[in-house]
Amino acid sequence: MAQPASNRGALSLDVSRNLFPEIIELNVGGQVYVTRHSTLLSVPNSLLWNMFGQSNPSELTKDNKGRFFLDRDGFLFRYILDYLRDQNLVLPDYFKEKASLQKEAEFFQLHELAQRLRPTVSKENSIGEEVFQSDPEEAALVSTLASSSISTTTTTTAGPRSPSLDARKSGYITVGYRGSYTIGRDIQTDAKFRRVARITVCGKTSLAKEVFGDTLNESRDPDRPPERYTSRYYLKYNFLEQAFDRLAEVGFHMVACNSTGTCAYTSSDPNEDKIWTSYTEYVFCRE
């Protein structure tokens, strides 16, 4: 006699619990995760539920160390795994990968999570985003923007006022960079006259993100709270003047600067060109 589909599914899960170890090691796009087998089965009919609940371990792809391999975004999978643990999701402040995370949720067939990550449409038919544990200051700024928008449409005697001017914070930002210089006869024609390796940004997280926006690479310190300080951010471009222009545009001015350098010859011949390697920091302030 054929068994009902629900009974066959339950039987398959019982079999998978015997085939898979309780602790599962995953290699997701080069990032290693360790979790319980039961966690991967926590959302029925999801991709991971089918892989680890309805399949045999020998049918799944593994890396050279025997870990189950998934060719997906290893950074974003941490949020997928967090959701599987308790069906709750808390994203970092100023999280800018929500659209990519929605794509990952759809791939893993986590339909409820994907729905929560989709942009919502406001009453004014403008698109906004659902906020997960958002920064109170960010929420206040959104409220200010909405109030200002309403007031400018109903008031004709006064010109529009940019709410960003009222919301700007005072504080300090330190911009640092390592550069190399060639000193020699061909200095003016040398394409390597000035080579900037990386422009670093130090300061309060919320202030750095306000100033530099999408040009700020925060991959080395992705979960830093907005009111904490960091020294691990850097810019996605190598033009120092571009950083200065941006700081000037939002009201910062330079208050201090210091630099150190070392010199080396390009070869053992002292008549050859010299290469200077320097580290410089510029301190900017907005009152």
Side-chain angles (χ1 to χ4, degrees), residues 164-165 168-173 207 210-211 243-255 284-287:
S164 61
L165 295 177
R168 295 193 314 182
K169 301 177 183 178
S170 61
Y172 291 85
I173 287 180
L207 196 60
E210 174 205 331
V211 173
F244 290 173
D245 287 342
R246 178 55 189 162
L247 286 160
E249 288 171 1
V250 293
F252 280 83
H253 62 277
M254 190 188 302
V255 295
F284 290 83
C285 175
R286 185 172 69 187
E287 298 177 354

Side-chain angles (χ1 to χ4, degrees), residues 192-209:
K192 298 180 181 179
F193 167 59
R194 180 171 120 177
R195 175 181 294 176
V196 177
R198 177 170 288 176
I199 301 175
T200 61
V201 175
C202 307
K204 186 176 290 187
T205 300
S206 58
L207 196 60
K209 292 181 177 180

Side-chain angles (χ1 to χ4, degrees), residues 78-95:
R78 61 181 295 189
Y79 303 109
I80 298 294
L81 194 57
D82 282 344
Y83 176 79
L84 291 176
R85 290 180 175 125
D86 55 11
Q87 277 68 68
N88 190 24
L89 180 66
V90 178
L91 297 178
D93 297 299
Y94 301 96
F95 187 72

